[in-house]
Amino acid sequence: MPRVEDMGETTRTALVAGATGIAGSALCRELVEQGWEVLGLSRSGRAPVDGVLGVAADLTDEASLRESLAPHAPTHVFVTAWMRQEDEAANIRVNGRMVRDLLAAVDAAGSVQHVALVTGLKHYLGPFEAYGKGEVPDTPFREDEPRLPYPNFYYAQEDELFAAAERAGFTWSVHRAHTVIGAAVGNAMNMGQTLAVQAAICREQGRPMVFPGSRTQWDGLTDMTDAGLLAQHLAWAATTPAAADTAFNVVNGDVFRWRWLWPLLAARLGVDAEGSEGEPRPLEEQMADAAATWSRIAERDGLVEADVDRVASWWHTDGDLGRDMECLADMTRSRVLGFTGYQPTLQAFLDLFDRLEQARVVPRP
């Protein structure tokens, strides 16, 4: 990726909403490396990487957003955050309002040139309450597929983005990722870290690492999205005129079968692998008694977090691996416009495991 100063333009200032999450922290790192000025917005105001100015604000509190963002004039806004609610109606209300209030808060400065929104493949599969039900598009999913006939908070977020862009005159991009692989303690959607925690608990308890998902997922082709690749894609779209006002799928570029990948991950994590036996064996059931075991591991090995629910998201991994359908996303739109980023999924997992062990989020095998 070219650095900002090599583009012959003034320095860009990015506001990353959800800066401490999987996608947000990777994006902050990428933008700092490219030479951007970066504002990292989160509840804590903690800077996720060196070179980021932390901004504390609550995305669900309009007054908090306006007060915290008043001193700043970002040129680019990246929305990488969402908040899970009790049902899709509440998801729509809360997450749509978050986008609306955030963009209203930065509108006062009159500085915003581009806004990027991270969503996902629920755009094609439907919300949690209607996940994969009824007719879904054929794979590989393409960006020009019509919306499904279900309420969906991704659609609500997009509509708020489009309306704000129409009012304020900035360009936009939407980035539909598929199961982002990255590191972030406390994140609600965190498969890579969840599998590393599963393996550590299985090692401790002397049992194999059991694949929790469906036979379809075990045998079928699928793909995923590395957080670093997603960060590259976000920066590329925000600075490429031809990519303006466009929705994109963003995945690693390879495809794989879990029956190939699962034994390789288990071997790296020092545990025996056990594959699909037909019906899903959800992690929420497998790990029902995991809290005490994880607490013991964390204390013995000096890990940074002793609460297993802060490092593993059983429900989300069950949802992804339990799908009874093929899930693949087409990247042609990005390739035609010049994005060439690629990350082998196995390497994404291996790099993540190294990083989690070095940061003492999970123990070494």
Side-chain angles (χ1 to χ4, degrees), residues 18-19 42 53 58 89 101 103 114 134 145 147-148 227 240 284 292 339 346 353:
S42 65
L53 176 62
D58 183 349
D101 291 347
L103 298 184
H114 184 87
E145 291 286 349
R147 290 180 174 181
L148 297 175
T240 301
E284 283 200 303
F339 181 76
L346 173 59
F353 296 156

Side-chain angles (χ1 to χ4, degrees), residues 276-336:
S276 172
E277 291 186 348
E279 292 299 315
R281 290 176 283 179
L283 288 175
E284 283 200 303
E285 297 175 7
Q286 290 189 44
M287 296 292 145
D289 61 349
T293 302
W294 182 257
S295 179
R296 183 172 65 251
I297 294 171
E299 181 177 0
R300 183 191 65 214
D301 294 349
L303 304 184
V304 298
E305 179 56 64
D307 181 353
V308 72
D309 292 329
R310 293 271 300 159
V311 290
S313 47
W314 312 126
W315 67 271
H316 176 255
T317 298
D318 285 340
D320 271 8
L321 297 184
R323 293 179 296 208
D324 197 22
M325 68 192 73
E326 182 179 79
C327 293
L328 292 168
D330 181 72
M331 281 282 286
T332 300
R333 181 174 287 181
S334 293
R335 302 305 187 209
V336 168

Side-chain angles (χ1 to χ4, degrees), residues 18-25 46 80-84 179-194 305 308-317:
T20 58
I22 296 176
S25 58
R46 177 176 61 84
T80 70
W82 76 287
M83 293 184 64
R84 188 187 185 198
T179 308
V180 180
I181 310 167
V185 173
N187 189 275
M189 302 169 70
N190 202 338
M191 180 189 286
Q193 193 167 290
T194 295
E305 179 56 64
V308 72
D309 292 329
R310 293 271 300 159
V311 290
S313 47
W314 312 126
W315 67 271
H316 176 255
T317 298

